Amino acid sequence: MQFEITTQNLNSLQADLAIAPVYQDGKQAKATAGLSAGLRNLIGNAMASGDIRGKSGETLLLTHTGRLGVRHLLLAGLGNRDKLDAAGWRKAVEAAVKRAERSSATTVINLMGLEDVPGMDATRKARSFAEQWLYASYRYTATRKRVKDTRPKDRRLTVAIDGEEEEAQAKLGLRQGRAIGRARNYARELGNLPANVCTPAYLESEARKLARRSTRVTAEVLQEDEMKELGMNSLLSVCEGSELKPRLIVLHYRGASDESPPVALVGKGVTFDTGGISLKPGRAMDEMKFDMSGAGSVLAALHATIELRLPINLVVLAAAVENMPSGRATKPGDIVKAMSGETIEILNTDAEGRLILADALYYSLRYKPSKVVDVATLTGACLMALGRHYSGLFANNDDLAEELRAAGEAASDPAWRLPMGPQYMPELKSNFADMANIGSRFAGATTAACFLSRFVKNARWAHLDIAGTAWKTGGSKGSTGRPVPLLTEFLLGQ
Ligand code: BES
Ligand code: MN
Ligand code: ZN
């Protein structure tokens, strides 16, 4: 797959498939004004006949238009021209790309970027197209008998732009979109793999593969004995019941001078969460294979960082464990001492994400990061509060919270800030240890974040709870690769 830009004359357009925008209010699209009379007639007739009205997200594929230079013409509705905004434009591109992607076209040219979209420059538009094309082209095949893929192999996807001035901008956008799209699909693949394949050891091998992709990256993977030595008993308590050994994966990316402090990304990598002795109910338990999505997303953010050769220092930590019940498993009421020295009464073994992050976050501080961001499918409560649209965002620093919120909005991978503070701390009181690992029935996402905040000392820290956003359930069950776009946007801004 190859992404390109063109300033070619639209009057003599050549492609297997061209994507052309139409407006609901009948206003002429800028993109189609320069097309040949034949193509303009075709579009006019489709609109006049009512086969497409131009509503946002509507598409119509016209075929056998070969004599006009393009074999297929895909019309994509953009709604009313005066009301067009970035969200509407993205939605229209998503629909068009979904349709075009499953066509037989080898060469595709997209004219939608020729429209003026408030708040979007050529970079944003090109990036969004590449990103969405890659998202639509992902298929999960790893554990299936070879399914026949009839799509052309070497597709050329071209974005039409206005003038030469936009060329550099659009090129940059395609490069970013490609990196983000590929990284996101990488995270989706890790998420979708079953837990008998995607184990802590598997994540280690993936981390080592990533390290081989760039001379800027080094991998260091802590094994059980090293973690014991470091006193990471909180993390280790989670996998006592599992036959699989834990891993604490640490990847260093050096793209800036040694003096520049790194950003730290820390991911929850529970490769399967049964709940442990506090066993989960059976319904949809299979989805707990996605409980390593935080780890997947931070590995993917590194994937994008490598591809974009970002001029930053980055350290990525992924805490990989499996949470199982057994005769050796941690029991409710058991008390462990975390690496920080504080003791934790484990009242519920299903609140395991915070137990592994407690030690992983604490360990990340040794790299003196300028900012620490953890990503975790941490609480069902976050899903209850925000549904599947926004990731939950918590921070001990307002600037960092705003930076991440804005990155999510710009990348169309949004996060919503939820409260956190000393008022909630009493919930975590224990009669037998320095703290308990659960609070009351209320504000579950917040008390989880409060628990984490005790292990980051005074570092600038934020926490993304992706319990609602990391995967889809039902008929389209599968990993979404969120919040890779948010994280990459955040790193681009460093
Ligand atoms: N991985 C789950 C959170 C989760 C549940 C994510 C459902 C997405 C969908 C986490 O480890 C967990 O079990 N959390 C508990 C915490 C509770 C015991 C305080 C929860 O949310 O129920
Ligand atoms: Mn759990
Ligand atoms: Zn979990």
Side-chain angles (χ1 to χ4, degrees):
M1 200 171 315
Q2 211 175 311
F3 292 101
E4 295 167 359
I5 53 169
T6 185
T7 49
Q8 100 183 64
N9 185 341
L10 299 184
N11 195 28
S12 53
L13 198 61
Q14 292 284 336
D16 293 336
L17 185 148
I19 306 172
V22 290
Y23 286 110
Q24 190 170 9
D25 48 21
K27 290 204 174 114
Q28 169 76 54
K30 226 176 112 189
T32 52
L35 292 176
S36 66
L39 283 173
R40 271 187 287 122
N41 270 337
L42 208 61
I43 297 172
N45 291 340
M47 292 290 284
S49 66
D51 288 341
I52 183 165
R53 288 169 48 219
K55 279 196 304 187
S56 178
E58 203 186 354
T59 59
L60 178 68
L61 184 66
L62 302 171
T63 52
H64 307 300
T65 52
R67 69 200 152 78
L68 301 170
V70 296
R71 203 145 55 80
H72 309 282
L73 183 66
L74 179 64
L75 301 183
L78 281 177
N80 287 332
R81 195 168 74 180
D82 308 328
K83 294 204 187 111
L84 183 61
D85 60 8
W89 190 84
R90 278 205 188 93
K91 183 177 158 200
V93 171
E94 183 186 349
V97 154
K98 256 193 200 151
R99 184 65 196 84
E101 201 283 327
R102 54 191 169 82
S103 78
S104 61
T106 300
T107 56
V108 176
I109 178 159
N110 182 14
L111 307 179
M112 297 175 81
L114 295 169
E115 295 311 294
D116 294 322
V117 188
M120 286 190 106
D121 59 8
T123 304
R124 288 273 165 204
K125 286 189 277 190
R127 170 168 149 181
S128 172
F129 174 67
E131 217 181 309
Q132 298 205 63
W133 187 283
L134 283 160
Y135 192 86
S137 65
Y138 171 81
R139 302 282 185 281
Y140 177 81
T141 59
T143 49
R144 281 194 163 126
K145 194 171 138 197
R146 269 268 156 270
V147 267
K148 204 152 169 228
D149 193 347
T150 53
R151 295 172 299 170
K153 284 276 135 338
D154 303 305
R155 278 187 152 148
R156 276 178 41 220
L157 310 162
T158 306
V159 175
I161 56 162
D162 236 344
E164 318 255 302
E165 323 83 71
E166 287 194 344
E167 202 166 317
Q169 276 186 36
K171 267 198 180 138
L172 177 67
L174 287 181
R175 190 164 163 257
Q176 291 176 347
R178 199 179 114 92
I180 295 168
R182 280 162 47 97
R184 190 171 178 180
N185 286 346
Y186 176 69
R188 290 166 82 187
E189 184 73 2
L190 290 177
N192 289 336
L193 285 170
N196 60 336
V197 174
C198 186
T199 58
Y202 184 88
L203 288 176
E204 169 177 2
S205 70
E206 282 301 308
R208 296 202 185 280
K209 257 196 241 167
L210 275 176
R212 286 197 292 273
R213 293 175 78 101
S214 165
T215 53
R216 291 180 169 189
V217 180
T218 51
E220 146 197 9
V221 181
L222 303 191
Q223 307 293 327
E224 189 183 29
D225 48 341
E226 293 162 275
M227 288 188 252
K228 269 194 186 140
E229 216 140 280
L230 287 161
M232 295 183 167
N233 303 306
S234 181
L235 187 157
L236 292 167
S237 73
V238 174
C239 51
E240 294 290 356
S242 172
E243 295 295 318
L244 305 180
K245 297 287 183 207
R247 304 287 194 282
L248 181 59
I249 295 162
V250 187
L251 289 157
H252 300 272
Y253 171 92
R254 291 184 187 83
S257 80
D258 288 345
E259 291 85 70
S260 149
V263 169
L265 296 180
V266 183
K268 169 180 172 183
V270 176
T271 59
F272 197 82
D273 181 14
T274 63
I277 296 299
S278 313
L279 193 65
K280 285 183 179 297
R283 207 184 59 85
M285 206 208 272
D286 66 292
E287 294 182 10
M288 284 300 122
K289 71 172 182 176
F290 297 117
D291 211 21
M292 39 53 69
S293 297
S297 74
V298 297
L299 292 176
L302 173 65
H303 193 290
T305 300
I306 294 169
E307 187 162 328
L308 291 169
R309 293 186 63 79
L310 295 183
I312 58 168
N313 288 334
L314 173 68
V315 50
V316 164
L317 294 96
V321 302
E322 186 183 61
N323 187 18
M324 295 287 278
S326 95
R328 270 192 296 273
T330 299
K331 302 165 291 297
D334 284 1
I335 294 174
V336 294
K337 189 190 232 177
M339 187 182 171
S340 71
E342 291 195 285
T343 56
I344 304 165
E345 185 183 15
I346 302 173
L347 289 174
N348 190 320
T349 63
D350 197 13
E352 85 297 342
R354 63 197 79 182
L355 294 174
I356 67 170
L357 288 174
D359 283 334
L361 282 168
Y362 188 82
Y363 186 76
S364 77
L365 302 180
R366 68 165 52 194
Y367 303 111
K368 308 241 175 320
S370 56
K371 297 161 187 173
V372 183
V373 181
D374 77 71
V375 189
T377 49
L378 205 62
T379 65
C382 188
L383 171 59
M384 293 300 159
L386 298 177
R388 302 201 175 274
H389 303 290
Y390 290 88
S391 300
L393 166 61
F394 301 84
N396 63 6
N397 177 286
D398 290 343
D399 292 335
L400 180 56
E402 176 50 24
E403 203 183 338
L404 287 160
R405 191 209 60 77
E409 184 179 282
S412 136
D413 179 10
W416 194 276
R417 191 172 183 189
L418 292 171
M420 206 192 68
Q423 313 89 304
Y424 295 95
M425 279 302 178
E427 298 236 12
L428 297 170
K429 274 206 174 119
S430 157
N431 284 354
F432 306 106
D434 299 330
M435 73 191 94
N437 78 326
I438 54 168
S440 69
R441 296 198 295 125
F442 308 113
T446 288
T447 48
C450 286
F451 180 93
L452 298 181
S453 73
R454 297 185 60 156
F455 297 91
V456 294
K457 293 197 206 157
N458 34 31
R460 295 167 79 198
W461 159 81
H463 156 61
L464 288 164
D465 192 332
I466 57 166
T469 51
W471 72 89
K472 291 184 190 170
T473 56
S476 52
K477 192 193 299 182
S479 171
T480 61
R482 288 179 67 181
V484 173
L486 181 157
L487 293 174
T488 311
E489 180 80 39
F490 169 69
L491 294 176
L492 276 164
Q494 299 308 304

